[in-house]
Amino acid sequence: MILELPQGQFFLDAEPSTPVILVAGGRPPDANWLNQVVQNCPVWAIDRGIDVCRSASVIPEILIGDADSSAADSWQWGEDLRIPVLRHPADKDLTDLQLALQELGRRRPGALALLTGGMGGRFDHAYSNLFSLLESVAWGVQPIGTADEAEAVFFVGGGQTLQAELRDLPVAVSLLPLSSVCENVHIQGVHWPLQGETLTLNHPGGICNRLAEGSRSVSVSLGRGLMGAYFCWKESSL
């Protein structure tokens, strides 16, 4: 499938399908960026994500959360628009994102999911968001990754390839091992290419690369394991 972001096109190993955009309560994406990304895509607001949707005039098809971090008038805005609401108690075992991903798997089995508002702020929140996306495979969801105008992480599994055709040049490109071992790792179009290397969780040797001179394309492939292809465009905004 082709994922269109303002920063460029990302060719992913997935069946062509319209992704569901999950808007969470981390660092809010720029309103213009969000409006470009959600065109013709269903949007789900997760708790404080309703604040982001309201400020960007994006109407989600559902609102999920416990309302502990969002503005009361944003929830009222959603209710006035008759957006379906799944409200959960604040004291619960799962995070709002985990509950939303489970609900997405029930309502749209096999759905592709792209998270925004998943990074920034507290590290434990960002960490939980990233691995909750990975866990959602067990709930019938196909997670793409997380993105906004400043940075993105796209998941690449064993036997998969990610091709990026970039309009905006990133300041950094990194490969993040998400399994204990990532074998037969390739990355092209960068200053330090890799050919069949092995990366591990305790030795992530693919950090802080940059595009090769004149390059606007990055190709990443993996033989076995799971990793994140990380792009950073606005380091000062993190």
Side-chain angles (χ1 to χ4, degrees):
M1 68 158 291
I2 302 174
L3 177 66
E4 281 280 358
L5 296 183
Q7 298 100 316
Q9 290 183 319
F10 297 84
F11 298 82
L12 309 170
D13 275 345
E15 291 297 321
S17 180
T18 301
V20 176
I21 310 300
L22 304 172
V23 184
R27 181 181 63 235
D30 175 78
N32 290 331
W33 183 93
L34 182 61
N35 272 284
Q36 291 182 62
V37 172
V38 303
Q39 291 184 26
N40 303 315
C41 292
V43 176
W44 285 32
I46 304 171
D47 207 328
R48 193 164 57 186
I50 193 63
D51 296 339
V52 177
C53 289
R54 181 187 181 196
S55 64
S57 299
V58 170
I59 299 177
E61 70 174 31
I62 194 169
L63 168 57
I64 298 176
D66 55 22
D68 69 343
S69 61
S70 52
D73 55 351
S74 292
W75 278 76
Q76 188 60 53
W77 172 79
E79 291 174 359
D80 290 345
L81 291 172
R82 298 189 177 182
I83 297 169
V85 174
L86 290 179
R87 188 159 182 166
H88 296 277
D91 293 333
K92 57 189 186 302
D93 293 330
L94 299 179
T95 68
D96 290 326
L97 175 61
Q98 289 165 348
L99 290 167
L101 288 165
Q102 285 188 346
E103 189 66 27
L104 179 60
R106 282 192 289 267
R107 295 189 179 213
R108 295 173 177 263
L112 298 173
L114 176 69
L115 176 66
T116 191
M119 305 290 277
R122 282 172 40 180
F123 173 76
D124 59 340
H125 288 169
Y127 179 92
S128 173
N129 289 341
L130 192 67
F131 283 92
S132 294
L133 281 172
L134 294 176
E135 184 184 17
S136 71
V137 172
W139 304 327
V141 176
Q142 299 183 62
I144 297 171
T146 182
D148 61 15
E149 73 281 359
E151 59 184 341
V153 179
F154 299 107
F155 300 133
V156 182
Q160 294 184 334
T161 297
L162 166 71
Q163 180 75 27
E165 300 295 334
L166 299 159
R167 289 184 284 270
D168 294 343
L169 300 184
V171 297
V173 179
S174 296
L175 299 180
L176 311 176
L178 297 172
S179 58
S180 58
V181 178
C182 294
E183 297 179 345
N184 199 20
V185 176
H186 295 255
I187 182 169
Q188 300 297 318
V190 292
H191 185 72
W192 292 287
L194 297 178
Q195 294 277 6
E197 298 295 326
T198 297
L199 302 179
T200 64
L201 275 174
N202 59 0
H203 186 69
I207 303 299
C208 206
N209 214 326
R210 63 178 186 269
L211 294 191
E213 185 174 354
S215 173
R216 285 187 171 270
S217 299
V218 174
S219 177
V220 176
S221 64
L222 176 63
R224 192 176 75 169
L226 177 66
M227 66 183 181
Y230 173 81
F231 296 80
C232 178
W233 290 276
K234 297 181 179 181
E235 193 170 9
S236 61
S237 300
L238 302 182

